[in-house]
Amino acid sequence: MTILTSVASLEIDELTKTYGRTKALDGVSLSAGRGVIGLLGPNGAGKTTLLRMVATVLAPDSGSLRLLGLDPADPGQRIEIRRRLGYLPQSPGLYANFTPFDLVDYVAVLKEHTDRDWRRDETRRLLESVGLADVMHQKIRRLSGGMKQRVALAAAMVGSPDLLVLDEPANGLDPDQRLQLRSLLSQSSTVLMSTHNISEVGALCQSVYVMFSGRVRFAGTPAELAGLAVGRVWEDDSQDPRAIRSWMTATGAFRHLGEPPAGAQVVDPTLDDGYLFLARQEHR
Amino acid sequence: MNTHRTNWHVDDEDLAAYGTGSLASVPATSVEAHLMGCQGCRERLARTGQPQDIEDAWLTLADAVDRPSTGPLGRFTGRHNLLRSSIATPTMVAAALAGIVLVVAVPLAAAVVAGDAALVALLVGAPLAPVAAAGLAYRDWADPAGEISLATASAGLPLVAKRAVLVSVGALLAAGISLLVVSTWVAAPAALFFSWCLPGLALSALVMLAGTTRLDPLRVALGLGLTWAAAVVAGSWAPRSLRPEAVLHLLATPALQAAALSVVVVSLFATVARRDLVSYRRTA
C-alpha cells in the first residue's frame, strides 16, 4: 500500500481550453492538498471551465490533471475519481417534479449505491444537514432558489466524497446557512469552490487562487491576498484623485487604493482590498 | 369516568414494565384499570422510559414515510437499480412510455387515418422521431439531476444506452402488437408500415456515435433530420418514380434495409468501442 497522504489531492498543469476564439483557460496550473480551496475571479475568468474539468465532465484541449492521484483522461481512473467525487454545478437544473428526497436518492443510485436502506439513511442525513428535513417530500418546484441550491448541495455530498467541486455553493444561501455550509465542508478532505463573494473566502478557505482571463494571477492564503495591499490603502473624508481606486465606505469616509500621499491615514487592508489591487494590476 | 382516589398505587418497577409492554397480562390489566382512575400514576407513567418509546415510534414512522418509493412499481424498481436510474418515478415512467407510444403511434395513426398521401408522408418522416429522441438523450437537462449526473460513476454510455434499450424493447413489443392490429384492416403489406424502423435506428445510431466525438449530438441529430426531411420533400416534387410512395417502397427493399442494418451495427460497435468518450469529450 502506497502512502496516500503524500499525494496532492489536486495537481493541475498548464490546462488550456478554447471556445471558438475565446481562450477560456490559458495555461492554468494549480496544486493543492487537503482543505478548502477558494477560486476567485470576475465572470468569464474561466472558473467554471476549470471546475468542470476537475469534476471530470469536461476534457481540456491540452495540459494534464491528477485528481486524488488519478488521471481523469484514463477511462478506468476517471470512474475511480467519480466514485470519490461530489460536484455542484453552477446551474444544477434539478427536475422540478422530483422531491428533494427523490432527487438525492436518484443521485445516490447513479453513484452506485445499491443498498436501499443505506440510501434512505444517507439521503435523510444529508437533507437534514442542509436544513431541508421539513420539505424533503415536497416537489422541488415549490422550493425557493436557496432551497434548490441546498438540494443540489446535498446531492453533491452523497457518500461523503473525498473531493468536492462546488461552483458558487453559497448562491442563494442566507448568512445562517452560509455558516452551516462551513461545517458541512469540513467533512470532506478536499474542497475546490468558486465564489464571487470575497468575504466567503476569508471565512471558509485555507488557500485561494485568483483567476483573470483564463490565467491564475494569485495563489496563496487569504491573509497573503489581503497582504498584497499592505501600505496601499488609506482613508480620507473626501475623494482623492491620486488613488487608482476610491469608494465610499458605510461610515461615509472614502477608502482609497494606490500609492498613499504623504501624511495619509494608512489602514490595514482587507481581502477586498487585496483582490481589488490585483484586479487593478490586471487591467493596467 | 371513574375518578375515585385510592391508597394503592402502581410501584415504579411495574409501571416501567407496563410502559415498555413487558408486564404480564394479568398485572397489566390491573395496572391499566388503576391508571384509568389515577392521574398521579398516569403522570408517573408518562415520565418512565416513554421518550425512547416515542422516539422509536417516530423513527419507525419516519422510516415508513421516507421509504424510497412505494407501490408495486417502486418496490420493483427499488430492487433493480438499472430500472431505478431510468424509470424510478411516475414522471420518468411517463417519459419512457411517451417514447414508446410515439414510436408506435406514428405508423398506427397513419394507418387508421388511411389517407394514402398522409400515410406515406408520415411513414417517410417517421425516422425523425427516434433521431430527435437520441439527440435529446444527451442533453444535460434530459436528466433529473442535470449536470450533477455527469460527474457520477454511472455517467456515460451505460446510462444513455440503458435508457435507449429500455425504450427500444418496449417499442418492439408494442410494435409487434400493433402490427397484428393494423394488419386486420389495412390491405398493404404490414412490413411496409415498419420499413422506416431500421433507417430510423440507423440515423439514431449515428447520433449515438456522434455522442462519442466533440460534435454536439443534438446538432448532428438536427443535421441528419433536416437532410432526411429535405430528401423527402424533394422526392414529392420529383418525377413520379421518386414520389413518397416510391420512397416508401424503396425503403422497404431488402437492399436498403440491409444497408440500414449495417449502419446500425457498425455505428453501435463504434459507439461501444468509444464509450469512454461519452460525456467527457463534449464541449457543451
Side-chain angles (χ1 to χ4, degrees):
Chain A
M1 192 79 194
T2 49
I3 300 163
L4 290 171
T5 46
S6 64
V7 177
S9 306
L10 293 174
E11 283 283 2
I12 292 169
D13 194 36
E14 289 294 316
L15 291 184
T16 66
K17 182 82 199 175
T18 308
Y19 293 110
R21 285 187 197 161
T22 314
K23 274 192 172 174
L25 293 185
D26 188 10
V28 168
S29 299
L30 186 156
S31 172
R34 300 163 70 89
V36 182
I37 305 132
L39 204 52
L40 272 174
N43 285 327
K47 303 189 299 285
T48 294
T49 304
L50 177 61
L51 290 182
R52 296 189 74 212
M53 285 179 187
V54 177
T56 77
V57 301
L58 183 69
D61 290 343
S62 69
S64 69
L65 294 107
R66 279 197 91 75
L67 312 170
L68 304 165
L70 299 162
D71 180 5
D74 176 87
Q77 294 187 40
R78 183 160 72 238
I79 289 183
E80 206 46 53
I81 295 166
R82 286 178 176 172
R83 290 196 171 111
R84 298 167 58 192
L85 176 84
Y87 175 42
L88 173 74
Q90 192 170 36
S91 29
L94 308 177
Y95 187 52
N97 267 338
F98 267 26
T99 66
F101 192 93
D102 282 340
L103 192 112
V104 176
D105 183 53
Y106 167 77
V107 171
V109 169
L110 293 186
K111 289 189 174 186
E112 301 180 325
H113 296 293
T114 51
D115 181 342
R116 285 174 76 202
D117 292 333
W118 183 91
R119 283 208 309 270
R120 181 194 52 206
D121 294 344
E122 176 77 351
T123 301
R124 204 153 54 194
R125 175 184 78 82
L126 288 168
L127 288 170
E128 274 164 11
S129 73
V130 296
L132 292 177
D134 294 343
V135 296
M136 66 173 138
H137 296 297
Q138 285 184 19
K139 292 260 167 91
I140 287 176
R141 69 166 78 257
R142 292 173 57 192
L143 305 184
S144 70
M147 285 171 160
K148 286 177 189 161
Q149 179 77 359
R150 282 182 281 154
V151 174
L153 192 62
M157 294 195 300
V158 169
S160 308
D162 296 329
L163 175 61
L164 257 186
V165 182
L166 309 174
D167 204 344
E168 310 271 355
N171 261 3
L173 301 189
D174 64 32
D176 198 33
Q177 291 155 0
R178 281 167 196 243
L179 280 179
Q180 286 172 17
L181 180 66
R182 193 175 178 172
S183 63
L184 282 175
L185 295 189
S186 65
Q187 294 167 12
S188 276
S189 62
T190 302
V191 182
L192 179 64
M193 58 174 272
S194 72
T195 177
H196 276 110
N197 190 329
I198 297 171
S199 60
E200 234 160 60
V201 170
L204 292 170
C205 304
Q206 278 92 56
S207 59
V208 55
Y209 286 78
V210 183
M211 288 179 73
F212 290 104
S213 322
R215 290 178 155 272
V216 171
R217 293 299 188 187
F218 173 87
T221 64
E224 285 164 353
L225 178 58
L228 291 178
V230 164
R232 292 178 169 126
V233 185
W234 72 99
E235 284 190 351
D236 209 339
D237 289 339
S238 60
Q239 196 158 2
D240 191 330
R242 288 164 295 186
I244 56 173
R245 196 82 198 260
S246 301
W247 64 98
M248 195 190 261
T249 65
T251 58
F254 279 91
R255 198 170 172 97
H256 306 288
L257 195 61
E259 290 309 318
Q265 188 197 343
V266 174
V267 294
D268 284 339
T270 62
L271 265 177
D272 288 88
D273 298 327
Y275 177 80
L276 287 172
F277 182 73
L278 204 62
R280 200 67 209 178
Q281 300 281 90
E282 181 64 23
H283 290 126
R284 253 207 314 227
Chain B
M1 181 177 287
N2 188 350
T3 54
H4 74 273
R5 299 187 68 84
T6 161
N7 292 330
W8 178 83
H9 291 285
V10 187
D11 65 42
D12 290 342
E13 201 177 323
D14 282 355
L15 202 58
Y18 176 79
T20 59
S22 58
L23 195 62
S25 62
V26 174
T29 312
S30 155
V31 167
E32 205 154 271
H34 174 78
L35 285 172
M36 295 277 280
C38 180
Q39 191 179 350
C41 285
R42 283 204 298 272
E43 283 169 2
R44 280 171 56 225
L45 175 65
R47 290 191 296 268
T48 59
Q50 286 274 0
Q52 187 53 47
D53 287 0
I54 292 170
E55 185 95 330
D56 288 347
W58 277 116
L59 281 178
T60 313
L61 186 64
D63 264 11
V65 171
D66 291 346
R67 202 151 287 147
S69 38
T70 50
L73 181 74
R75 280 197 292 277
F76 185 69
T77 58
R79 278 195 296 273
H80 298 82
N81 286 296
L82 185 153
L83 293 175
R84 170 93 186 122
S85 59
S86 302
I87 52 164
T89 68
T91 326
M92 289 173 89
V93 172
L97 285 181
I100 294 169
V101 167
L102 261 179
V103 168
V104 176
V106 172
L108 196 62
V112 171
V113 172
D116 280 355
L119 172 72
V120 287
L122 273 171
L123 287 180
V124 168
L128 299 181
V131 175
L136 292 173
Y138 283 89
R139 311 318 295 167
D140 51 7
W141 43 257
D143 192 280
E147 199 176 320
I148 294 175
S149 306
L150 289 182
T152 60
S154 337
L157 187 65
L159 195 62
V160 175
K162 249 184 233 172
R163 290 171 183 173
V165 165
L166 215 82
V167 172
S168 308
V169 168
L172 277 177
L173 285 175
I177 294 165
S178 59
L179 186 75
L180 291 173
V181 176
V182 170
S183 59
T184 56
W185 75 79
V186 176
L192 214 56
F193 291 109
F194 295 96
S195 58
W196 58 274
C197 284
L198 273 176
L201 265 180
L203 294 180
S204 306
L206 285 174
V207 173
M208 282 196 81
L209 183 59
T212 68
T213 68
R214 284 169 193 267
L215 300 169
D216 181 342
L218 189 61
R219 287 189 185 180
V220 172
L222 274 175
L224 287 173
L226 285 176
T227 309
W228 182 269
V232 170
V233 171
S236 67
W237 291 94
R240 173 162 286 278
S241 63
L242 284 173
R243 283 179 178 275
E245 301 91 315
V247 176
L248 188 58
H249 279 98
L250 183 69
L251 278 184
T253 54
L256 214 135
Q257 292 285 312
L261 184 63
S262 50
V263 171
V264 172
V265 171
V266 170
S267 301
L268 287 183
F269 265 111
T271 307
V272 170
R274 297 168 57 83
R275 63 187 177 278
D276 294 319
L277 300 172
V278 173
S279 89
Y280 187 58
R281 225 193 237 172
R282 272 197 305 125
T283 53

